Structure formats: structure tokens, C-alpha cells
Amino acid sequence: MFLFSNPAGIPRVSSFSFVTTLVWLTTAVFLGGAPTATFVTPEPHAPVASSHFSLEWTAGADDDEELHFELRQSGGPDFADPRVRYEGPDRATFLAGLPEGDHYFQIRAKTPDADSAGPWSDSFHLTIQYQSLTLAWFLFGVGAVVFLATLVLVVAGSTKARREEKAETTERGAFSGPS
Amino acid sequence: MDYQSAVLPQNLGYFLLVLFGIIWILLGLYWGRKAKSLDGFMVAGRNVGLALGAATAMATWVTSNTTMLAPQFALQLGIWGMIAYSTASFGLFFFAPMARRIRRLMPSGYTSGDFIRLRYGKPAWVVFLVISLFYSLTWMISMGMAGGLVLLAVAGIPYETGMTAILLVCVLYTLFGGLYAVIGTDFIQSILILVGVVVVGAVIYTRIDFETTYAAVAVDQPALLMVLVPAAIMAFFNNMLFGMGEIFHNNVWWSRAFAMRRNVAGKAYWLGGLFWLPIPVAVGFIALASASLGINVIRPDMVGPVAATQVLGFAGAIVVFIVIFCSLASSIDSLLAATSDLLTEDVYRKAINPGANEATLRRTNQLIIGLLGLVTWLICRLNIGTLAEILFFAGPLVGSTIWPVAAGLFWKRTNPTGAFAAMLLGSLIGLICYFQIGWYTASLVGAAVSMVIVITTTLLWPRDFDWKTLDETPPDAMEPSTQKGASS
């Protein structure tokens, strides 16, 4: 499904790419050259097992060290309930304490005085799915057993060694006799 | 990834770096005059008392890992993570009776490698050396990197400059003063660390509103307050066993046991553990407060220093700078000294030049200190991964040494082949879990596999061992009270 035929091997442009470019150009014209931002971190293909994730982003061609960024998060792709996670000049953040489920993020660039804000980037989808609790409790139990066994080994071993040392000292004292 | 602007002016950062660098190097030269013999250089004359002993145990254990990894644990694993990190003090508690035993069984010992070689023979000794050297290098790299990152975050000093300066200072004073300098500087560093942590804790306590902190974490980072996060549950015993493995096997702790007076070693490790216990919880809390303080965390291992300096401002940043500089130096110097001892004694003297005299051994030891510093610096320049990723890769390896070391010290019948297999298989299976499940399971699995193998082989194929074999004191050097037979 291409707009143009491609007899001479010229790179082909899909109708989707064409429409996206058109939308982007129209938006840029309306926003009057507002700064843009995109995520650098690749979207994970599979659910993430831990409760944390690092996100990095960059400014578009109009990059300026003074730019500020706004990162927002939502529980759905439509960003019906957005929450600002970060606002400032940094270009990365470490997201900690994420609960299980789907999380969506968008980034946009702003001029430092916030006069002009660029468009929101494509959304970044992250699924958090912890490991099984059964496995966690099993390993916790294994850890407890190793800990207790080591405790018994060290306490019993050192008690026995002290007893033997004491007996040896007494024996040596008795052997050497009164001075 | 760029950090927020540093709190301290760069010039002040350089001034503090140079000031403390000169102090440590001068102290190294001063204490170095005491280290006239090889015993003096490697094991501080075997006459370290309780105050110095407890201080060196505590200061060495307060590494960059405590000041930087404990907050990272809190940020990645929540409340569980904070508590899990403080369980590393159990390693010091457990090692206390072991240190007493070590001192008694090996009155003229130098390294943990000596023990494994005499107790289990060469195959186990080779595996042990590989594990120990690999771990020591990862620990040293993680601390060199931490030094560079902290100086960058606090004072804006470029990563390479900060990392190079810290490594160079530690190499120089360890080179001049040996273990005398290491233990002496540890004492001063432990006081500065304790005072600094109390000051930072007190100021933060007055500036942070606990209810606001709780509310901010509940909204932005709810999983940090959850009890049932699988990774955190698994990390609890994993971290405890990682700490135990680090202490049980590493020559940093053995060399101190050899250096302390006989009746002091056990008590010193107990006290060191008690002083250390609350520190991870205190620094971990700072990480949890970062959300309510509006701090954007970029690298999880930097959350502690960045949050503390931002809360405390200029004066606080100076305190944080000093605490972290001391905690890094107190551990890097210990590792340099202990690892060079291990290589000099176990590799050079035992495998390459058995007839080497004291002067040759001391020169070799100093050369190795320099080389270790150089290798660490070269790897640190690459700035790979986070501190936790680097350090915990060695987790399964050190976890697998817990039982071979502890059982070898207390059980006469532990089987040498069993100890060899326990370290090898424990490490391998632990590494598989590191990649298949996560770093927070690797030490635990390594330790569990190793324990099962040691117990099974000891029960099925017991081998009798004569404790006197561990005493390598030359007959002419024995005091009358420590003549052979004193071993239990």
C-alpha cells in the first residue's frame, strides 16, 4: 500500500509515514517552532520484573542546553489521568517504586520561562510484572535455613572450641604444677 | 547522563581533595616508620588493640557501598531494602568468634589463602584465590567509580579527575605505611564517618517532615512501601549472605584478625558490627525522602549523596564530602593492603619464589599495591554499569565460600574435595540465577548450594584433620606459651 510506484528502486514512502510527516509539519507551523523532545530509552518488549526503570530523553534538532522538560505519567494510553513526574532541565530520571500494571509516559520540551511548550512525544509503554511470590517466599525460606544453619555452626563451633581451650589451659596449668 | 548542578564550588572540592590527600599521605609516611619488618607491614606487628580494632572493622565496612548502595537499595527495594542492607552487619557478628579461632589456630598466619591451602589443599586453594581476587577487584572498582561519581555530583569535579585522585592518594599511603597506615587512618576515618553521619542524620531529621515524605512515597513510589514485593523479599537473605561471604572469605578481614591481639579480635568485630548496624537505615531513609524533596534521581547509586547535599546545603555538602571521602579511603586502602598480601603470600611466596627473603617480599608487596591501583584505575575509566551491578556480580562467588570457610574452621571432618566442589558449583549455579532470576538471588543460591555440598560430603566422606597443620610458625620463632599443642 504505497502512494508511489517504485520502478527505479527509490526509497519508498508509505502512506502512514506521509501522513505522520504532514501532521508533524502542521503542528510545528502552528506551535511556531516550539522545542521538541523524544525518548532515547528503547521501549521494553517484555514486562519488567522489578519495580524500577530508567528513562532517558533528548531534545529535537532545536536543542538548547537551557531547555526544560516535563515528564508525565498515566495509567492508560489516552492520558486521561496524567500526573507530572518531573519538570526541570535533566534529561533522565530513575522511576522507583512502580506498582504492577501498565504505565504510560510522555515527554515534552519547554523554553526555560515556560512561554513555549513543544508537543507531547509518542507515549512510552512500560509493563511492570513482578516475579512470582511463591518463588520469592521459597528463596526467602532457603535463605532463612542457610542463615540458621550458619548460626548454629558458628555458635556451636566456637563454644566447643572455647571449652577445649579452657580444658587445655587447665591441663597445662596442672601439668606445670605450683610455681 | 548529566547531573544537577553541584552544591560545592569546584575550587572548594579540589581544596578538600588535596587537603585530605596530603593528610592521609603524611600519616602513611608517619606510620610507615613503624613498619620495619614484613610482619609490621603486612599485619601491623600483630599487636592491634580494641579501640583501633573496632574502628578499623567499622570503617572498612562503611564503604562507598554503605553510603551509596544502601540508599540505592532503599530506592529499588523500599523498606525491605533498607533493612536488608543493614543485615550485612551479621557478617561482622558471625566473624567475631571466627576471628578469635583464626588467631588461635594460625598465630603466624598472613592470609585467608594460607588457611584454605593448609586446610583443603591446592585445588580448593586455586578456586578460592580466583574467587577472592575477582571479588576484591570488583569491590575496588566499585569504590573507585563511586569516588569519581561522588566528587562529580557534590563538587562538579570531572569523574576521571576525582576517581584518579582518590585512587592515587590511597595507593600512596598504603605503599608507604602498609597495614599500620591502613589501621591508623581507619581510626581517624571512623571517627569522622560517625560524627558526619550523626550530624547529617540530625540535620535531615529536623528538615524532613515524615508525614510529607510518607505521602509523597505513597503517591509516586507506592511499591517502596509494599511488604510483598518479590524482589525485595528475595533480596533480604541474599544481602545478608553476600555480606557474610564477603567477610568470611576476604583477606581484608583475615589480615585484621591476624593483626589484632589474641583476646581482642572477637570483641573488635562485635563492636564494629554494632556501630555499623544503624548507618544503612539512616542513609537509606534519605533516599526515601528524595521524592518529597522534589529531587530528580538520575542514577540510583547517587541518590544518597545528591539528596543529602541538596537538603543540607553548603555546610552539609562539606560534611557529606568528608564522610564519603573517608569511607572510600578506609575501604580502598584496606583492599589494596589485603589483596597485595594475598598475592604476595599466596602467589609470589608460595608459587613463584618460596625462598624469597623479607626485603624481596616487601618490595614485591609494594609493587603489587601499585599494580592493583593501576589495574583498578584502568577499569574505572570505563565507568561501566551501576555500583550494584558491578559488585553483586561477585555475589554468588563469595556466597559459595561461607560454608567451606566456617566449616573448615570448626569441623575437623570437613572434606577437602567437598569444599572444592562447594565453591565451584555454588559459584556456577549462583551465577546462573544471577542471569536467569536477578542479582538479588545469586549470593543466596550460591551459599545454599555450597552449604548442601559441604554438609553432604562431610557426612558421607568425613576426613580427619589435625588443627596443628594450620600453625606455620617456625620452631625458633615460637613463644613458650604458644608451642604446638596450644591449638584446640
Side-chain angles (χ1 to χ4, degrees):
Chain A
M1 193 171 127
F2 293 96
L3 288 178
F4 310 109
S5 60
N6 188 26
I10 300 164
R12 296 185 292 189
V13 181
S14 72
S15 54
F16 178 75
S17 304
F18 180 77
V19 172
T20 308
T21 312
L22 203 63
V23 168
W24 184 84
L25 283 172
T26 317
T27 314
V29 167
F30 273 105
L31 289 171
T36 55
T38 47
F39 288 111
V40 176
T41 312
E43 206 171 81
H45 297 300
V48 174
S50 56
S51 64
H52 50 86
F53 194 81
S54 283
L55 262 183
E56 235 181 300
W57 54 85
T58 185
D62 43 1
D63 196 359
D64 176 355
E65 285 206 354
E66 298 293 308
L67 279 180
H68 276 220
F69 299 90
E70 185 178 345
L71 174 75
R72 68 176 184 174
Q73 179 184 357
S74 174
D78 54 355
F79 282 81
D81 56 343
R83 200 155 46 85
V84 176
R85 281 303 295 249
Y86 171 68
E87 242 183 310
D90 297 340
R91 292 168 186 234
T93 195
F94 180 78
L95 301 157
L98 293 167
E100 279 193 301
D102 289 311
H103 305 275
Y104 294 85
F105 299 90
Q106 282 183 322
I107 189 81
R108 69 173 173 180
K110 285 172 162 183
T111 51
D113 48 12
D115 271 356
S116 165
W120 287 108
S121 67
D122 287 343
S123 67
F124 185 98
H125 178 213
L126 180 67
T127 305
I128 300 286
Q129 190 179 9
Y130 301 155
Q131 278 122 336
S132 112
L133 259 179
T134 316
L135 172 71
W137 284 120
F138 169 72
L139 286 173
F140 186 87
V142 171
V145 169
V146 177
F147 167 71
L148 288 173
T150 314
L151 178 72
V152 170
L153 166 68
V154 173
V155 171
S158 60
T159 310
K160 188 175 170 229
R162 272 177 188 244
R163 247 195 336 258
E164 285 172 0
E165 279 170 31
K166 211 178 252 179
E168 212 171 83
T169 314
T170 316
E171 197 175 288
R172 215 182 302 142
F175 182 72
S176 58
S179 54
Chain B
M1 288 187 199
D2 288 327
Y3 293 105
Q4 302 92 327
S5 55
V7 175
L8 288 183
Q10 204 182 49
N11 286 347
L12 181 63
Y14 279 120
F15 171 74
L16 289 171
L17 192 61
V18 171
L19 176 74
F20 278 92
I22 290 174
I23 291 175
W24 301 142
I25 291 170
L26 287 178
L27 286 171
L29 281 168
Y30 171 73
W31 275 305
R33 293 186 310 177
K34 277 183 150 185
K36 290 191 175 69
S37 64
L38 189 68
D39 254 23
F41 192 78
M42 285 174 71
V43 285
R46 302 183 194 275
N47 196 30
V48 174
L50 185 60
L52 281 176
T56 191
M58 185 279 229
T60 305
W61 210 213
V62 181
T63 63
S64 57
N65 306 333
T66 314
T67 50
M68 296 168 79
L69 267 186
Q72 180 178 348
F73 256 58
L75 201 64
Q76 290 186 337
L77 304 170
I79 304 286
W80 271 103
M82 248 160 65
I83 300 168
Y85 207 93
S86 66
T87 61
S89 58
F90 280 79
L92 289 175
F93 296 144
F94 278 41
F95 194 68
M98 288 166 64
R100 195 174 180 279
R101 177 93 172 143
I102 289 164
R103 196 70 184 82
R104 184 168 174 81
L105 292 179
M106 302 177 72
S108 59
Y110 283 103
T111 68
S112 51
D114 274 343
F115 168 74
I116 296 290
R117 178 179 49 82
L118 295 166
R119 181 69 181 84
Y120 295 130
K122 270 202 170 171
W125 176 63
V126 171
V127 175
F128 179 84
L129 273 186
V130 171
I131 289 174
S132 197
L133 293 174
F134 178 76
Y135 162 77
S136 298
L137 203 60
T138 57
W139 190 9
M140 216 145 39
I141 291 163
S142 76
M143 280 187 297
M145 280 176 58
L149 291 170
V150 165
L151 295 186
L152 172 69
V154 178
I157 294 173
Y159 169 80
E160 278 213 5
T161 313
M163 178 271 290
T164 307
I166 284 190
L167 282 176
L168 188 68
V169 168
C170 293
V171 166
L172 285 177
Y173 78 76
T174 311
L175 206 59
F176 296 139
L179 199 61
Y180 269 124
V182 170
I183 291 179
T185 48
D186 274 2
F187 183 70
I188 300 169
Q189 286 155 354
S190 69
I191 292 170
L192 290 173
I193 290 167
L194 272 181
V195 171
V197 167
V198 169
V199 168
V200 171
V203 177
I204 283 186
Y205 182 76
T206 57
R207 299 223 179 141
I208 289 177
D209 177 35
F210 285 81
E211 277 183 29
T212 317
T213 301
Y214 179 84
V217 173
V219 172
D220 281 338
Q221 302 161 330
L224 298 187
L225 300 174
M226 282 166 58
V227 178
L228 297 179
V229 176
I233 294 170
M234 289 187 266
F236 184 80
F237 279 111
N238 184 73
N239 197 60
M240 186 192 284
L241 294 168
F242 181 48
M244 266 187 213
E246 286 179 282
I247 294 177
F248 281 23
H249 95 278
N250 199 269
N251 199 43
V252 162
W253 309 100
W254 282 69
S255 63
R256 276 158 180 70
F258 292 128
M260 289 176 207
R261 282 183 217 133
R262 237 179 220 198
N263 54 349
V264 157
K267 291 175 201 154
Y269 279 107
W270 257 103
L271 281 175
L274 277 177
F275 282 127
W276 186 86
L277 182 68
I279 295 176
V281 177
V283 293
F285 179 74
I286 297 172
L288 292 185
S290 62
S292 69
L293 295 167
I295 292 167
N296 178 44
V297 177
I298 294 176
R299 262 183 84 130
D301 45 6
M302 292 304 298
V303 62
V306 168
T309 50
Q310 297 222 352
V311 173
L312 301 170
F314 187 78
I318 294 178
V319 178
V320 170
F321 186 101
I322 294 170
V323 167
I324 293 181
F325 192 98
C326 289
S327 64
L328 285 167
S330 63
S331 308
I332 295 175
D333 62 4
S334 305
L335 261 172
L336 282 169
T339 312
S340 62
D341 286 358
L342 194 69
L343 285 167
T344 306
E345 171 71 11
D346 286 71
V347 179
Y348 184 73
R349 175 141 77 171
K350 294 290 171 353
I352 299 172
N353 188 2
N357 59 24
E358 278 212 2
T360 313
L361 288 172
R362 186 167 167 170
R363 270 200 308 278
T364 309
N365 196 308
Q366 287 173 318
L367 181 72
I368 292 171
I369 290 173
L371 284 174
L372 277 172
L374 184 68
V375 171
T376 309
W377 178 77
L378 284 171
I379 301 174
C380 282
R381 288 187 68 195
L382 301 173
N383 194 5
I384 34 163
T386 69
L387 300 179
E389 284 164 357
I390 290 169
L391 193 68
F392 281 96
F393 190 71
L397 282 70
V398 301
S400 75
T401 62
I402 296 174
W403 270 74
V405 171
L409 271 173
F410 293 116
W411 290 353
K412 267 187 150 186
R413 292 165 188 251
T414 312
N415 185 311
T417 314
F420 166 79
M423 288 189 278
L424 198 65
L425 291 176
S427 298
L428 289 176
I429 297 172
L431 276 175
I432 292 170
C433 289
Y434 177 97
F435 289 111
Q436 294 297 318
I437 306 174
W439 59 265
Y440 36 80
T441 59
S443 307
L444 193 161
V445 172
V449 169
S450 166
M451 181 185 87
V452 170
I453 294 173
V454 168
I455 293 176
T456 313
T457 51
T458 304
L459 287 174
L460 294 179
W461 303 284
R463 292 272 293 273
D464 217 13
F465 181 75
D466 181 3
W467 295 119
K468 288 172 198 163
T469 315
L470 293 173
D471 185 356
E472 287 191 306
T473 313
D476 55 328
M478 278 192 193
E479 302 162 30
S481 58
T482 56
Q483 293 281 335
K484 295 226 175 192
S487 317
S488 57

